[in-house]
Amino acid sequence: MNTLFGKIKEEAKQISPKSVEEYPEAPISLGTTLINFTGDWRTFMPVIDESKCVKCYICWKFCPEPAIYIKPDGMVAVDYDYCKGCGICANECPTKAIAMVREEK
Amino acid sequence: MEYKPIRKVVSGNYAAAYAALHARVQVVAAYPITPQTSIIEKIAEFIANGLADIQYIPVESEHSAMAACIGASATGARVFTATSAQGLALMHEMLHWASGARLPIVMVNVNRAMAPPWSVWDDQTDSLAQRDTGWMQFYAENNQEVYDGVLMAYKIAENVNLPAMIIESAFILSHTYDVVEMIPQELVDEFLPPRKPLYSLANFDEPFAVGGLATPNDYYEFRYKIAKAMEEAKKVIKEVGKEFGERFGRDYSEMIEKAYIDDADFVFMGMGSLMGTVKEAVDLLRKEGYKVGYAKVRWFRPFPKEELMEIAESVKGIAVLDRNFSFGQEGILFNEAKGSLYNTSARPIMKDYIVGLGGRDFTVKDVKAIAEDMKKIIESGKLDREIEWYHLKR
Ligand code: SF4
Ligand code: SF4
């Protein structure tokens, strides 16, 4: 993701606590979901088959997070840092371009 | 400045109100509930008479009272509230928010039995039911301990960033007048400097979010931090208790107040005002040749496990007096005490006496009768039954 948002996210990942000592004493944070990634409880992950996609952006509209974004080339992509794996995008896609795949962690 | 106490004859509730005044609390949000009402009435009177510069937030329920306290405390203010029984239960959800956000709010809970049947009398089940909310709990034996407890609680709470509850008995303390030695304001100020908050919502230069979402990736670590702060609190409690003793002559460095332990066959263990009765009875029993001791649990959270283990090593039996009950199991203090000793070799015989629920009188005569029963158990080495509903009409 070659955007400012992408850069902020990368920086956030760098500073996010790695050990219990690095956590703040109280659960306060310097940002909301900008640095708190909500996409870590998925079981199934959406995988987009770009050859079937007709760029209707229905998935982009329906994603409740929203974890789907439109790339500069007009193609849709999933931001897995926020995708909770609900499968709404796969269900709504008119060309069945999105498959829900069990995620190995 | 030399310490000369100011002696006042006050109720337990007024002792609490004076302590809040002397602690220089900045915000009070409370809802009146019997038998707590006179605490917040007295504070309102202080404000009306120009004695205190306190923001008083009138609310429509205890849930809102605690919510307002949480908001105020998050700005860095020193905050006070008080409640009882059903009111405390209504606060339950908010109590977690206070400890989870690491806010050192101090609250006085006047122990009162839970309804139904409706009761306004003494019983510890209301506060003990809040055991797992992350609040420290101090059980006061008398009005003096209510006053001292509140002042110490602020110092301890603000040191470890956890909230604390000071607990006194309904009517037995809340409405009974006794001499309380109060500390001149300048000396309280020396003992209890202004709060240095961990974070402050009033700091507009460094904005941040509170109460946000923590995914399974982060929540666990924050719980561990609270557990560690509770463990740390044991050390702070002892230090602050010792300092209080050095400054004002009443030492609270022990989380369990003990007497006659060394050569005792068995000890009475309990919390709150009923231990005043036990104190008197134990003195009398000693004169009659009973080898009995006394162990008053001052702090129930954090639980003084190590101190209890020491006591257990030197006695043959412990009679736990529980003015509370956890349905489906046993008295709550008994349960905690027994559990604390499981992994040690020192396991004295323990019996749970359920006493004084809903304000039933507990007298010196009752302590003597329990001593008689415990003596038989120790001599025979046989525990007839683990739990005894002592006052039951049979
Ligand atoms: S699975 Fe749900 S959250 Fe993830 S991209 Fe699709 S609609 Fe959005
Ligand atoms: S709904 Fe399907 S076809 Fe439409 S943009 Fe999304 S992936 Fe492409």
Side-chain angles (χ1 to χ4, degrees):
Chain A
M1 210 190 266
N2 199 12
T3 59
L4 175 63
F5 183 44
K7 270 197 200 122
I8 292 171
K9 270 175 51 186
E10 276 321 302
E11 275 172 29
K13 279 182 185 170
Q14 296 288 317
I15 60 158
S16 67
K18 308 283 183 296
S19 72
V20 67
E21 283 79 27
E22 285 176 25
Y23 276 83
E25 208 54 38
I28 58 168
S29 65
L30 299 171
T32 55
T33 46
L34 197 62
I35 63 166
N36 293 325
F37 305 114
T38 52
D40 62 6
W41 63 68
R42 250 183 339 258
T43 308
F44 290 92
M45 62 192 287
V47 176
I48 299 172
D49 180 349
E50 295 198 354
S51 66
K52 287 191 194 160
C53 176
V54 295
K55 300 182 185 173
C56 67
Y57 304 142
I58 285 174
C59 56
W60 174 78
K61 264 187 237 162
F62 275 79
C63 173
E65 274 306 303
I68 291 190
Y69 62 99
I70 301 165
K71 294 192 288 187
D73 66 358
M75 188 52 72
V76 288
V78 181
D79 187 342
Y80 293 109
D81 285 336
Y82 302 109
C83 166
K84 60 186 176 185
C86 66
I88 290 173
C89 53
N91 191 59
E92 298 297 333
C93 173
T95 67
K96 299 276 164 267
I98 304 178
M100 297 302 289
V101 181
R102 182 176 272 277
E103 193 172 354
E104 303 294 333
K105 282 199 180 135
Chain B
M1 185 178 159
E2 202 203 333
Y3 170 51
K4 271 210 203 82
I6 303 157
R7 291 197 176 82
K8 274 194 208 294
V9 179
V10 289
S11 66
N13 277 358
Y14 283 3
Y18 273 104
L21 175 74
H22 294 162
R24 293 193 187 274
V25 302
Q26 293 155 300
V27 179
V28 172
Y31 187 82
I33 181 170
T34 303
Q36 165 267 83
T37 314
S38 58
I39 300 180
I40 54 163
E41 276 176 356
K42 192 74 184 166
I43 290 175
E45 191 186 305
F46 291 149
I47 299 167
N49 292 344
L51 276 174
D53 184 17
I54 297 172
Q55 290 288 320
Y56 190 100
I57 308 172
V59 283
E60 94 304 348
S61 77
E62 284 86 352
H63 188 271
S64 303
M66 188 43 65
C69 286
I70 289 165
S73 188
T75 68
R78 188 168 282 161
V79 178
F80 179 83
T81 190
T83 193
S84 281
Q86 317 295 124
L88 181 65
L90 186 52
M91 278 181 184
H92 172 77
E93 186 243 355
M94 279 290 145
L95 297 185
H96 285 277
W97 280 94
S99 61
R102 307 296 300 274
L103 300 169
I105 299 164
V106 171
M107 157 162 71
V108 169
N109 178 62
V110 185
N111 261 159
R112 177 190 128 182
M114 296 298 294
W118 204 248
S119 165
V120 294
W121 291 275
D122 187 21
D123 188 308
Q124 299 165 338
T125 311
D126 62 343
S127 53
L128 289 171
Q130 305 303 331
R131 186 188 69 169
D132 304 330
T133 53
W135 281 62
M136 296 183 278
Q137 293 197 353
F138 175 91
Y139 285 79
E141 180 198 315
N142 49 44
N143 296 359
Q144 183 70 58
E145 288 194 0
V146 173
Y147 178 83
D148 297 347
V150 170
L151 292 182
M152 284 189 288
Y154 276 108
K155 187 149 179 158
I156 296 158
E158 289 171 13
N159 195 301
V160 296
N161 294 297
L162 283 177
M165 215 182 271
I166 303 303
I167 296 138
E168 57 162 314
S169 307
F171 299 105
I172 296 169
L173 299 188
S174 69
H175 287 65
T176 305
Y177 282 67
D178 199 355
V179 179
V180 172
E181 288 194 352
M182 297 190 188
I183 303 162
Q185 186 67 59
E186 302 91 279
L187 294 183
V188 176
D189 292 345
E190 270 176 32
F191 170 73
L192 186 65
R195 177 182 165 202
K196 286 197 197 77
L198 197 57
Y199 58 89
S200 165
L201 283 176
N203 177 2
F204 301 115
D205 297 329
E206 288 170 20
F208 54 84
V210 272
L213 177 78
T215 66
N217 197 28
D218 294 313
Y219 184 84
Y220 193 87
E221 277 68 24
F222 287 117
R223 294 294 104 172
Y224 176 79
K225 294 248 170 192
I226 297 177
K228 235 181 77 191
M230 268 289 179
E231 214 36 59
E232 171 74 14
K234 287 185 187 175
K235 214 179 93 226
V236 178
I237 283 168
K238 287 174 198 158
E239 282 166 9
V240 170
K242 186 162 173 273
E243 187 193 340
F244 197 91
E246 283 162 2
R247 283 178 187 263
F248 312 121
R250 289 179 297 279
D251 185 282
Y252 290 90
S253 58
E254 290 179 319
M255 293 174 78
I256 301 181
E257 187 189 336
K258 316 176 245 283
Y260 306 115
I261 298 287
D262 296 341
D263 68 334
D265 280 341
F266 65 93
V267 291
F268 290 100
M269 193 163 109
M271 303 192 294
S273 63
L274 67 83
M275 290 309 281
T277 306
V278 174
K279 216 174 239 175
E280 198 183 316
V282 166
D283 283 338
L284 292 169
L285 285 164
R286 275 272 160 180
K287 283 193 192 115
E288 290 170 23
Y290 286 83
K291 288 172 103 180
V292 289
Y294 169 90
K296 179 180 81 187
V297 176
R298 281 188 176 129
W299 290 89
F300 178 77
R301 275 293 177 275
F303 194 74
K305 193 172 178 170
E306 297 76 13
E307 287 180 44
L308 176 63
M309 279 157 73
E310 258 175 52
I311 294 170
E313 266 169 31
S314 69
V315 298
K316 296 189 195 109
I318 301 178
V320 179
L321 306 171
D322 268 315
R323 194 168 216 152
N324 61 74
F325 197 73
S326 173
F327 301 110
Q329 181 64 331
E330 53 205 3
I332 298 165
L333 179 60
F334 182 65
N335 185 266
E336 295 269 333
K338 232 174 30 165
S340 296
L341 298 175
Y342 183 81
N343 276 327
T344 70
S345 51
R347 290 210 213 141
I349 295 178
M350 291 177 77
K351 185 164 170 176
D352 190 14
Y353 296 89
I354 309 303
V355 299
L357 298 187
R360 181 75 54 93
D361 247 356
F362 183 68
T363 65
V364 170
K365 209 175 107 228
D366 298 326
V367 185
K368 282 190 172 178
I370 290 173
E372 218 29 80
D373 187 42
M374 274 304 282
K375 201 172 160 230
K376 260 186 238 140
I377 292 166
I378 303 284
E379 275 165 10
S380 66
K382 272 196 215 90
L383 185 62
D384 50 349
R385 59 181 152 217
E386 217 183 9
I387 305 166
E388 171 108 33
W389 281 69
Y390 176 76
H391 293 296
L392 211 61
K393 292 170 188 160
R394 290 176 210 274

